[in-house]
Amino acid sequence: MSYERLNSLITLPVILSWLAMMLAPRWSVTRRFVESDVVPIVCGIIYLAIAVKYVPGWFSSFRTLASTAELLSRPDVFFIGWIHYLAFDLFVGRSLLADSQRRGVPHLLVVPCLFLTFMFGPGGYVAYALVRLLTRRYSGAVNPLPVPVSS
């Protein structure tokens, strides 16, 4: 199967996962789909099937930025890197969503962080850390602000 075809097969469920996390995070279908490991495992299997032939020589290929760029200029190796990004960013996004729900962070504040994680990986996680800090949800407390008592 061509890398273009594999890319189409991998990208669709990954994008559907991101959309479900952003638009319907508490829907039972979203929970089953996103919380299952099907998408990351499929990505991992394809990743390993392509990557296994490069493993012995890879370590020396990452010694310099130039040698890494040369390695990534190969379409098959570039595709392995792309799968790596898709799988790990999705894993971070799933973790971010679960953490936000556990801490009670308003989902409208989480959606931009999810989008940034999908598009810019670590930048989305930094954004989420800031949201947690600004909403004071970093301690796990659901309502850290004192509630006035009426008499």
Side-chain angles (χ1 to χ4, degrees), residues 35-104:
E35 291 176 2
S36 79
D37 286 329
V38 172
V39 174
I41 287 174
V42 169
C43 288
I45 290 169
I46 293 170
Y47 178 96
L48 289 172
I50 300 168
V52 71
K53 65 183 176 184
Y54 294 102
V55 172
W58 267 14
F59 298 111
S60 63
S61 298
F62 293 118
R63 284 182 297 179
T64 67
L65 188 57
S67 62
T68 302
E70 183 180 334
L71 182 67
L72 289 173
S73 70
R74 299 177 59 153
D76 49 350
V77 177
F78 181 81
F79 184 60
I80 293 167
W82 179 241
I83 295 170
H84 184 109
Y85 278 113
L86 289 176
F88 271 89
D89 286 355
L90 181 59
F91 179 78
V92 171
R94 286 175 26 180
S95 300
L96 188 151
L97 179 63
D99 183 76
S100 70
Q101 290 176 347
R102 183 175 53 80
R103 294 175 190 270

Side-chain angles (χ1 to χ4, degrees), residues 99-140:
D99 183 76
S100 70
Q101 290 176 347
R102 183 175 53 80
R103 294 175 190 270
V105 177
H107 189 67
L108 285 177
L109 299 177
V110 176
V111 171
C113 302
L114 288 170
F115 179 76
L116 289 171
T117 301
F118 177 51
M119 297 304 294
F120 304 108
Y125 184 77
V126 169
Y128 177 65
L130 289 172
V131 164
R132 272 190 4 208
L133 184 65
L134 294 173
T135 60
R136 306 185 64 73
R137 304 293 186 181
Y138 52 87
S139 66

Side-chain angles (χ1 to χ4, degrees), residues 136-149:
R136 306 185 64 73
R137 304 293 186 181
Y138 52 87
S139 66
V142 175
N143 189 5
L145 300 175
V147 177
V149 178

